[in-house]
Amino acid sequence: MTDDTDETRRARAKRTLAEYHGPFGEQVIARLADVAPDFADQLVDYAFGDVYSRPGLDRRAREIATLAGLAALGNAEPQLKWHIRGALNIGITRTEVIEILSQMAIYGGFPAGVRALMAAKEVFDEIDEFATELARQDDA
């Protein structure tokens, strides 16, 4: 049974998820929900309804910490790519993403740093390819 507190938490979670990841965030959660709907709900509610929406750190600081943590793990490339897109969505620049990942390599190790930087390159390339395709469509 859902009470008002849960509904408020869910609304806050969805708003925060959208701020970071736009419609792509909902798509990823929907794909996860196809496999594990309860887990998808828990992830959204806790991560975005409770943690990402807390006061104390602004969105940039939270996303910088997330990028560094995921990159240091060295084994979370899909999540890292998702958060690189999120970082760009909230105004962190490509140069800042590269600097964050380069800084992390000191502590997470160079192999993890290389993997993270290559993931960033893949995200940047995907964004550039999409922008090029949109421009072609506009010209047609």
Side-chain angles (χ1 to χ4, degrees):
M1 177 133 209
T2 304
D3 64 15
D4 290 337
T5 304
D6 289 335
E7 289 174 359
T8 301
R9 181 185 192 208
R10 175 56 55 92
R12 184 174 61 245
K14 287 188 174 229
R15 177 181 44 77
T16 304
L17 176 65
E19 287 172 1
Y20 281 88
H21 300 290
F24 185 67
E26 283 293 328
Q27 293 169 6
V28 169
I29 296 303
R31 286 198 328 250
L32 180 58
D34 285 345
V35 176
D38 290 341
F39 184 83
D41 286 344
Q42 292 165 358
L43 173 66
V44 170
D45 290 346
Y46 178 68
F48 293 96
D50 294 342
V51 179
Y52 272 86
S53 59
R54 290 171 53 92
L57 290 176
D58 64 14
R59 292 186 308 172
R60 285 180 55 84
R62 286 191 190 282
E63 203 60 27
I64 288 168
T66 301
L67 291 178
L70 288 170
L73 286 173
N75 63 359
E77 187 175 320
Q79 294 80 11
L80 177 60
K81 287 179 175 181
W82 196 48
H83 281 281
I84 290 169
R85 285 184 189 91
L88 297 170
N89 285 344
I90 63 163
I92 294 173
T93 68
R94 291 180 181 201
T95 299
E96 290 171 318
V97 168
I98 297 303
E99 287 302 317
I100 293 161
L101 302 178
S102 297
Q103 174 75 24
M104 177 287 315
I106 297 168
Y107 302 98
F110 280 94
V114 169
R115 280 190 296 277
L117 289 164
M118 294 311 296
K121 181 184 182 329
E122 289 177 26
V123 170
F124 299 160
D125 288 349
E126 289 169 7
I127 291 168
D128 292 344
E129 288 172 21
F130 183 73
T132 299
E133 183 59 32
L134 284 179
R136 282 189 197 132
Q137 291 175 4
D138 286 344
D139 291 341

